[in-house]
Amino acid sequence: MQTLSVALGERSYSIHVGTGILDRADLIAPFLAQRKVAVVTNPTVAPLYLGRVAGALAREDIEVVRIIVPDGEEHKDWRALNGIFDALLEQRCARDTTVIALGGGVIGDLAGFAAATYQRGVPFVQIPTTLLAQVDSSVGGKTAINHPLGKNMVGAFHQPRLVLADMETLKTLPQRELRSGLAEVIKHGLIRDAAFFDWLEANLDRLLARDPDALEHAVVRSIAIKAEIVGQDERERERGLRVLLNFGHTFGHAIETGLGYGTWLHGEAVAAGMVMAADLSRQLGLLSEADTTRIRSLLERAGLPTAAKGITPGRMQELIRIDKKARSGRIHFVLLERLGAAMLRADVPPGAIDHTLSRLAA
Ligand SMILES: NC(=O)c1ccc[n+]([C@@H]2O[C@H](COP(=O)([O-])OP(=O)(O)OC[C@H]3O[C@@H](n4cnc5c(N)ncnc54)[C@H](O)[C@@H]3O)[C@@H](O)[C@H]2O)c1
Ligand SMILES: [Zn+2]
């Protein structure tokens, strides 16, 4: 097991990454103010892992309230959130009951927001079970639900007390979900660590074959990058570092919204979005032709889309404009100066965006 940490003063926390650590209730117990937890999960994850997690907690004399919400991004909404509040109240969970999220990013965001607001905030622990949740959503404290008018539009910052990422859970993950998570792993290399990008090129086949050592390395390196950024810029300040984690996301969100939530997985849309952002970086003379090709090739080898299909450049433009990152009439883009180094640019000429979209969206 490897342990990383997010440095946030009194709210610092550990992230344990390892194989077979799901039932390490002894790692969780020291953080509990009351020997009672509420585990939030869904009908897909519950039969796979809830028994192990709840059993281990029970053996530590911890009372476990089980809360099952429906599976799917379309249920990351107020209705499911309210279902969690109903269960917490019915089961007499108090201000010192810890909420544990067991599942992917949808469960993490939903349970996290419930923990942020139930009785003005209760302690929270993340047990992420998808690659995306392990490398991205379980770290950093962003929680949210979707609104019919926009994704993640209602939420709160609420850091967990602890994150437990068990590589064993990835064995049951559908291959498409694994690929989608790899998009965010590749993103971390692109924005911050060229050597990690090289490593990903060399080890992609091992990752796709779910070699546990390769997966653990990729998860640990990704979390280290995200944790370092969050430690420096927890709340995504105006010109802070955290915004760099949105590399590929302006285009990606436009694809997700344009095609309808759930048509493409988040990582798939981000993959195509990163190719677009790389192309834009190349046009502005930042990224070399060769490096732009390397990025596209790696995503392609990961089985991820490298262009948007089913959405016109004009529609993409429109969606980009209404994306929440559009501020004061100008659109900020996260671009690459080179492999391993991202930057924020507000001066991207509209013509360059047109050109990228005409090549990469149809
Ligand atoms: N808070 C953040 O910082 C942040 C960052 C990135 C993404 N997100 C959010 O994360 C969500 C996407 O998360 P996701 O990609 O994990 O999707 P997800 O939570 O929908 O999980 C994907 C699917 O895999 C299933 N599943 C989960 N673990 C499994 C396992 N071990 N074996 C088999 N099946 C399993 C889930 O039930 C679901 O059907 C989005 O809502 C996105 O907005 C949040
Ligand atoms: Zn993302």
Side-chain angles (χ1 to χ4, degrees):
M1 184 176 89
Q2 301 187 57
T3 301
L4 300 103
S5 73
V6 180
L8 292 168
E10 283 185 342
R11 291 172 300 116
S12 297
Y13 54 96
S14 295
I15 302 159
H16 300 302
V17 181
T19 301
I21 59 172
L22 259 190
D23 38 21
R24 291 286 307 276
D26 59 304
L27 295 172
I28 300 176
F31 292 92
L32 303 181
Q34 181 200 28
R35 300 196 79 74
K36 181 168 178 174
V37 300
V39 181
V40 180
T41 188
N42 70 30
T44 308
V45 177
L48 294 168
Y49 305 114
L50 180 56
R52 260 181 76 188
V53 172
L57 288 162
R59 280 193 297 281
E60 296 274 327
D61 280 326
I62 296 161
E63 185 190 343
V64 182
V65 173
R66 300 169 184 226
I67 303 177
I68 314 275
V69 298
D71 190 5
E73 180 75 35
E74 67 276 23
H75 297 293
K76 201 174 99 173
D77 64 0
W78 67 269
R79 197 182 289 274
L81 181 69
N82 213 39
I84 297 175
F85 293 144
D86 289 346
L88 290 170
L89 286 163
E90 281 161 15
Q91 304 288 329
R92 306 195 189 293
C93 294
R95 286 188 61 184
D96 47 5
T97 301
T98 297
V99 170
I100 300 181
L102 174 67
V106 167
I107 288 294
D109 277 11
L110 197 53
F113 188 41
T117 49
Y118 181 68
Q119 300 205 13
R120 300 188 185 85
V122 296
F124 180 45
V125 167
Q126 290 260 26
I127 307 183
T129 62
T130 65
L131 181 59
L132 183 132
Q134 293 179 348
V135 301
D136 194 353
S137 60
S138 66
V139 177
K142 282 190 182 177
T143 75
I145 57 171
N146 298 327
H147 184 278
L149 294 181
K151 193 171 147 69
N152 295 334
M153 279 298 149
V154 180
F157 282 95
H158 191 57
Q159 299 289 348
R161 299 284 170 98
L162 181 75
V163 182
L164 277 186
D166 190 340
M167 296 303 99
E168 225 165 75
T169 62
L170 301 180
K171 285 187 186 155
T172 55
L173 197 64
Q175 191 69 1
R176 190 177 167 199
E177 298 288 349
L178 186 85
R179 294 177 193 278
S180 174
L182 281 175
E184 301 281 9
V185 172
I186 293 169
K187 179 193 79 181
H188 287 131
L190 285 175
I191 63 171
R192 208 76 181 147
D193 186 345
F196 182 43
F197 184 85
D198 295 344
W199 183 89
L200 288 168
E201 284 184 322
N203 291 278
L204 185 73
D205 297 336
R206 289 173 69 204
L207 292 169
L208 289 169
R210 306 186 195 206
D211 174 312
D213 294 337
L215 280 173
E216 183 165 326
H217 180 76
V219 169
V220 165
R221 197 57 218 129
S222 275
I223 293 175
I225 290 167
K226 181 154 187 190
E228 187 221 351
I229 291 177
V230 169
Q232 292 182 44
D233 179 23
E234 182 184 7
R235 299 230 165 193
E236 202 171 314
R237 291 188 317 265
E238 179 76 21
R239 263 179 290 277
L241 261 187
R242 190 162 181 171
V243 71
L244 301 183
L245 290 167
N246 293 334
F247 177 65
H249 282 59
T250 299
F251 291 113
H253 286 156
I255 296 170
E256 280 183 285
T257 310
L259 298 178
Y261 295 134
T263 312
W264 279 22
L265 298 179
H266 177 69
E268 293 170 342
V270 167
M274 290 194 292
V275 176
M276 293 174 182
D279 186 70
L280 207 48
S281 311
R282 180 193 56 79
Q283 281 196 67
L284 297 192
L286 299 166
L287 197 63
S288 73
E289 186 87 48
D291 285 345
T292 313
T293 305
R294 277 176 74 186
I295 295 169
R296 199 187 50 240
S297 307
L298 183 61
L299 293 166
E300 228 161 56
R301 281 177 58 208
L304 288 159
T306 53
K309 264 195 235 75
I311 178 162
T312 62
R315 177 82 178 120
M316 284 282 294
Q317 289 271 19
E318 195 179 296
L319 289 165
I320 287 166
R321 267 196 299 275
I322 51 184
D323 187 83
K324 64 174 186 285
K325 273 160 224 78
R327 297 188 196 107
S328 60
R330 281 200 293 179
I331 298 170
H332 295 67
F333 276 93
V334 182
L335 299 180
L336 295 182
E337 278 180 87
R338 58 177 187 279
L339 287 185
M343 68 192 306
L344 189 64
R345 290 283 286 254
D347 60 345
V348 178
I353 302 170
D354 282 340
H355 189 70
T356 288
L357 289 173
S358 67
R359 289 160 44 108
L360 295 167

